Amino acid sequence: MITRGFSKLSAYKAFSKMDKSCAEGCKCSALCQLFMAKEFLSLSAQTGEKFNDKIPEDILDMFRSVPLIPERYKNMELQEAFGEVQSICDDCAIDEHDAFCTVNVVLTALGILLEGKDFTSDKDQTLSGE
């Protein structure tokens, strides 16, 4: 079965891949992009909602300000999780895109971990004219 777009199931599948991205013995911390992203996506998987009033408006800046600690995650699994979240984002129309959609927030967090603090999702770049 192929899951298209955002749903409780697609959010849960992406969350499961993210959960497997944590390094062995790593203790979750609020000062970890992966931990914060998992918290938001877990809530969306439970509620089925793409938008969540628990996501602060400065979340993307917060993700960029937290130190990147590669020892906290497994890179290959993180890339798989990124691909899963990217596919959910890709299935949403550009005119439905919002920078604070849970999917975009999670995608940005994972992108920062994989590509660095300057990562911006493709749709955010398109909408900002970059």
Side-chain angles (χ1 to χ4, degrees), residues 74-109:
K74 297 182 239 174
N75 197 47
M76 191 67 98
E77 287 82 352
L78 193 64
Q79 288 179 15
E80 287 179 21
F82 179 87
E84 190 80 24
V85 177
Q86 180 74 61
S87 71
I88 297 169
C89 185
D90 288 348
D91 286 339
C92 288
I94 189 78
D95 61 342
E96 295 174 10
H97 180 74
D98 185 283
F100 297 103
C101 161
T102 299
V103 175
N104 189 65
V105 167
V106 169
L107 185 65
T108 301

Side-chain angles (χ1 to χ4, degrees), residues 8-100:
K8 282 184 170 186
L9 179 60
S10 66
Y12 177 76
K13 285 174 62 179
F15 172 83
S16 294
K17 288 195 184 236
M18 288 169 57
D19 204 31
K20 293 175 184 165
S21 300
C22 295
E24 290 288 322
C26 186
K27 303 290 182 231
C28 280
S29 160
L31 289 177
C32 174
Q33 294 89 341
L34 184 55
F35 172 80
M36 289 187 277
K38 284 180 7 184
E39 291 289 301
F40 297 136
L41 197 57
S42 172
L43 188 59
S44 286
Q46 292 170 30
T47 64
E49 299 293 326
K50 282 199 307 187
F51 296 95
N52 174 343
D53 60 4
K54 293 188 182 339
I55 297 177
E57 288 189 20
D58 63 347
I59 191 64
L60 302 180
D61 291 333
M62 285 173 54
F63 286 152
R64 289 182 174 91
S65 69
V66 173
L68 297 175
I69 305 174
E71 296 78 24
R72 287 187 173 167
Y73 56 88
K74 297 182 239 174
N75 197 47
M76 191 67 98
E77 287 82 352
L78 193 64
Q79 288 179 15
E80 287 179 21
F82 179 87
E84 190 80 24
V85 177
Q86 180 74 61
S87 71
I88 297 169
C89 185
D90 288 348
D91 286 339
C92 288
I94 189 78
D95 61 342
E96 295 174 10
H97 180 74
D98 185 283
F100 297 103

Side-chain angles (χ1 to χ4, degrees), residues 106-121:
V106 169
L107 185 65
T108 301
L110 300 180
I112 287 170
L113 288 172
L114 289 168
E115 298 182 23
K117 293 187 180 213
D118 292 334
F119 176 84
T120 305
S121 71

